[in-house]
Amino acid sequence: MSAEPRRAATVDPATVGPGDVLVLRALGLGDALAGVAPLRGVRRMLPGHRLVLAAPEGIGTWLAELGVVDAVLPTAGLEPLPELPGGHVAVNLHGRGPRSHELLLATRPQRLVAFAAAGHDGPAWRADEHEVRRWCRLVDAAGGACGPEDLRLRPHVPAPEGAPVVLHPGAASASRRWPAARWRRVAEALAADGHRILVTGSPAEAGLAAAVADGLDAAENVCGALSLAELAAAVGAAAAVLSTDTGVAHVATALAVRSVVLFGPTPPAWWGPAVDHELHTVLWHGDPTADAWGDPHADVLDERLAAVTVAEVLAAARAQLARPAPVRAGP
């Protein structure tokens, strides 16, 4: 991450106008990090313009502190945007339209960068595309060169001796939540190997984290105790991160920290690590040639995720922890 974080600013809507770029991506943490690469493309497309991100305030503020954007217009999902003076450039990194297009057009931009939809010309949407590459393709077509390599917030930094393994057992939906009893077995085995374990999660996941960490001397439960910046710092200082397909996995990718990511209803070809593949091990038991997979928002464990075994996770984690630092060519 940036060595000198900048002071974030929540923007006054009345000041967003000509000379500004308003980017809509009012989604969660993983989505925000997948948007870092196209945001950097927007910077290249319009250098010298103020880059305002319409996003949840906490996530947007963090990205502003890192210098990825300049200001935040607090926004949740597809709620109406406040009235703006108009004359800015609007970029839709939120969805394919038409609703997200309509929200941005209501702010009276002088230009809208977005995928093709009724009443708007743009690149065609592709359903079978990696999330990072999709949005980079949109911005690149508009004149902002970018690619998956732009999603990194820093290069890989070898973990210090004794760095903990971050274990994040939660996810927003049950379909992407690997059983707590299995995470507990992974934690016990890694502790027996001599590793410290740091269990993370949201306040709502306290019971899940307790099931993994309670009574295990090598485990520290910080579930609900970390701000987003503190969580990123913990991930950045970890020997490895173990999680399902959720926001913390994307933090590990952005910070080039070793990880093992368990996938279920969503194929890793759409949401898996897009760079530094030697640092990240993906475990998935889906058929990549299938016409459809599971529901990432379902309230029951996805069968593909259920098929991932404790032995697989341990083998992958131990292999990552044993690997030497990757050799990078050039600066």
Side-chain angles (χ1 to χ4, degrees):
M1 291 182 289
S2 171
E4 297 181 1
R6 304 188 310 171
R7 189 174 184 84
T10 300
V11 72
D12 179 354
T15 69
V16 180
D20 292 327
V21 186
L22 177 65
V23 179
L24 176 64
R25 194 163 176 86
L27 300 164
L29 177 58
D31 301 272
L33 288 167
V36 166
L39 283 168
R40 287 178 165 156
V42 172
R43 281 239 190 251
R44 295 175 189 133
M45 179 177 72
L46 294 167
H49 288 60
R50 183 173 63 160
L51 182 51
V52 179
L53 179 65
E57 186 170 4
I59 293 172
T61 297
W62 180 56
L63 292 178
E65 289 172 347
L66 297 175
V68 176
V69 299
D70 299 313
V72 184
L73 183 66
T75 310
L78 291 174
E79 66 180 24
L81 295 167
E83 185 175 349
L84 305 180
H88 54 282
V89 174
V91 181
N92 187 354
L93 297 184
H94 188 97
R96 64 188 296 179
R99 180 60 180 149
S100 50
H101 289 26
E102 293 167 354
L103 290 176
L104 285 169
L105 288 171
T107 66
R108 297 177 294 171
Q110 60 92 4
R111 177 188 178 192
L112 172 64
V113 176
F115 280 110
H120 178 76
D121 292 329
W125 176 274
R126 286 176 44 196
D128 62 342
E129 191 169 19
H130 192 284
E131 183 72 3
V132 174
R133 295 185 182 279
R134 168 184 293 127
W135 299 109
C136 284
R137 178 169 62 86
L138 171 67
V139 174
D140 189 71
C146 56
E149 65 280 357
D150 289 309
L151 64 80
R152 295 190 195 94
L153 296 177
R154 69 172 194 188
H156 175 67
V157 178
E161 188 72 25
V165 174
V166 167
L167 197 157
H168 188 89
S173 61
S175 65
R176 294 183 289 117
R177 221 173 282 143
W178 203 50
R182 299 191 200 179
W183 282 122
R184 173 69 181 210
R185 289 166 59 192
V186 169
E188 290 172 341
L190 291 177
D193 289 346
H195 296 286
R196 292 190 297 120
I197 311 295
L198 194 66
V199 181
T200 61
S202 69
E205 295 164 340
L208 178 59
V212 176
D214 281 4
L216 189 59
D217 290 342
E220 180 183 359
N221 184 353
V222 295
C223 180
L226 304 179
S227 68
L228 179 52
E230 290 168 338
L231 174 63
V235 169
V241 174
L242 312 184
S243 74
T244 58
D245 171 28
T246 191
V248 166
H250 295 278
V251 177
T253 301
L255 297 178
V257 172
R258 296 185 182 280
S259 72
V260 177
V261 189
L262 288 58
F263 277 79
T266 304
W270 291 1
W271 276 97
V275 290
D276 302 324
H277 297 291
E278 73 279 9
L279 294 176
H280 310 292
T281 301
V282 168
L283 300 176
W284 188 53
H285 288 285
D287 177 4
T289 66
D291 293 330
W293 298 277
D295 179 0
H297 308 294
D299 58 5
V300 294
L301 178 64
D302 183 80
E303 62 184 28
R304 286 152 286 264
L305 182 56
V308 177
T309 67
V310 170
E312 285 180 282
V313 176
L314 279 172
R318 286 165 172 157
Q320 281 291 356
L321 291 164
R323 286 179 184 171
V327 177
R328 299 277 182 229

